[in-house]
Amino acid sequence: MKKAVLMTIALGCSMAGGSAQSFDLDKKLLDYCEKAKACTLKQIETEQIPEQYRDMVMANMNTMCAGVKEQFTPYLKQEPAMLESAEQCIDSLNKMSCDELMSAERETKECKTFNKMLEEKEQQP
């Protein structure tokens, strides 16, 4: 299984916030996670990966979509600019085809901007 698949899901799922103003982001993130799952399933079928591994990958993706987002929730609640940047990143990912989404070159300009903001925030005391 390509490392990009899990990295894509982890990136996307780590971006959702829990505040009322992040409702749109949560919806966009859900759409993204569903799209990424469908793309991953398509790739698994194309590569004829055994069902036991398929089930394991899909379970991991479900867990990541449900849980990893909590890691960055405090930043998004505190920073409206980060929330907007996260939404732009998810929007850019949602516009990608499955081939683009599963490629190693899947990081968009918008996601690079969000990741830079996130790194800067994490470096602050």
Side-chain angles (χ1 to χ4, degrees):
M1 181 86 300
K2 292 183 179 180
K3 184 178 177 184
V5 172
L6 298 179
M7 287 174 49
T8 300
I9 299 300
L11 169 70
C13 293
S14 68
M15 292 181 195
S19 69
Q21 79 183 126
S22 69
F23 177 76
D24 287 343
L25 180 62
D26 288 337
K27 167 75 172 94
K28 291 174 183 185
L29 180 60
L30 178 62
D31 292 345
Y32 168 75
C33 284
E34 292 303 316
K35 178 179 183 172
K37 287 178 197 178
C39 292
T40 301
L41 193 56
K42 178 181 171 185
Q43 185 175 1
I44 287 171
E45 290 171 357
T46 301
E47 295 179 9
Q48 298 179 336
I49 293 174
E51 190 167 334
Q52 68 214 38
Y53 294 117
R54 182 193 79 147
D55 293 345
M56 182 178 67
V57 169
M58 297 309 286
N60 285 339
M61 292 176 68
N62 288 333
T63 299
M64 281 190 273
C65 282
V68 176
K69 69 181 185 174
E70 300 305 319
Q71 183 176 357
F72 300 116
T73 298
Y75 299 129
L76 296 177
K77 285 181 180 178
Q78 296 169 11
E79 302 286 337
M82 287 189 74
L83 179 62
E84 183 178 340
S85 182
E87 284 187 352
Q88 290 171 352
C89 175
I90 292 295
D91 286 343
S92 70
L93 294 173
N94 280 333
K95 291 177 185 174
M96 292 180 145
S97 68
C98 282
D99 289 340
E100 292 170 325
L101 198 59
M102 296 294 116
S103 77
E105 299 299 319
R106 59 141 180 76
E107 189 172 33
T108 64
K109 175 184 73 161
E110 294 84 358
C111 291
K112 287 179 184 177
T113 299
F114 175 72
N115 286 331
K116 183 178 179 190
M117 291 176 73
L118 188 59
E119 288 173 11
E120 289 171 359
K121 189 69 174 170
E122 288 177 336
Q123 291 176 0
Q124 293 177 357

